[in-house]
Amino acid sequence: MEASGFDWRMNRDSAVPLFEQLRLRIIEAADAGELPVGTKLPPVRRLADHLGVVPNTVARAYRELETAGRVETHGRAGTVVSAGAGKARQQLGDAAEAFALAVHGQGIGAKEALAAAKAAMERHGIK
């Protein structure tokens, strides 16, 4: 299974870097089932040519997705969407639980805690 007819949607006028747009688009599509587990992503150079970007843009998006467990790269066999999304969700749940326990232990209210979390995410470009 390959993502040949997939709509890659890149917005060159956006303030969001192209590699980040690509990374987020692949995550969004994987979560929505548009790119099911096992889907082979296009090779870096081919996708870069298709999108009209330098290969490093695609390579960086793929690297970050691999680090997050969202794709697996198998050398010449290519890059495929992995089942790591469940692992990422579990890690997020674990972090949220630790955050809630820390907030409770410090006697901080939910409104203040959520504002602090939102501010931290915004510092890291998370919307």
Side-chain angles (χ1 to χ4, degrees):
M1 164 181 347
E2 190 167 322
S4 55
F6 183 69
D7 174 17
W8 293 98
R9 288 189 285 184
M10 303 288 285
N11 180 356
R12 294 185 184 282
D13 296 327
S14 173
V16 177
L18 294 174
F19 81 89
E20 180 69 3
Q21 288 184 46
L22 180 59
R23 186 187 74 80
L24 291 172
R25 178 67 184 118
I26 292 170
I27 289 171
E28 171 188 283
D31 289 349
E34 293 177 73
L35 292 175
V37 171
T39 301
K40 185 174 179 182
L41 299 178
V44 169
R45 289 188 188 280
R46 190 170 70 191
L47 183 54
D49 286 346
H50 174 76
L51 296 174
V53 299
V54 296
N56 190 48
T57 298
V58 176
R60 182 169 177 187
Y62 282 12
R63 267 193 319 273
E64 292 195 10
L65 288 164
E66 186 168 28
T67 298
R70 302 301 302 245
V71 301
E72 295 174 4
T73 301
H74 302 286
R76 290 213 172 274
T79 302
V80 297
V81 176
S82 78
K87 182 179 178 184
R89 295 240 187 293
Q90 179 63 45
Q91 289 174 335
L92 176 61
D94 292 347
E97 184 67 24
F99 177 71
L101 290 171
V103 165
H104 179 71
Q106 295 295 319
I108 298 170
K111 187 174 183 177
E112 183 181 351
L114 292 173
K118 182 179 181 198
M121 289 188 295
E122 288 172 353
R123 282 193 300 276
H124 292 278
I126 302 168
K127 294 182 179 184

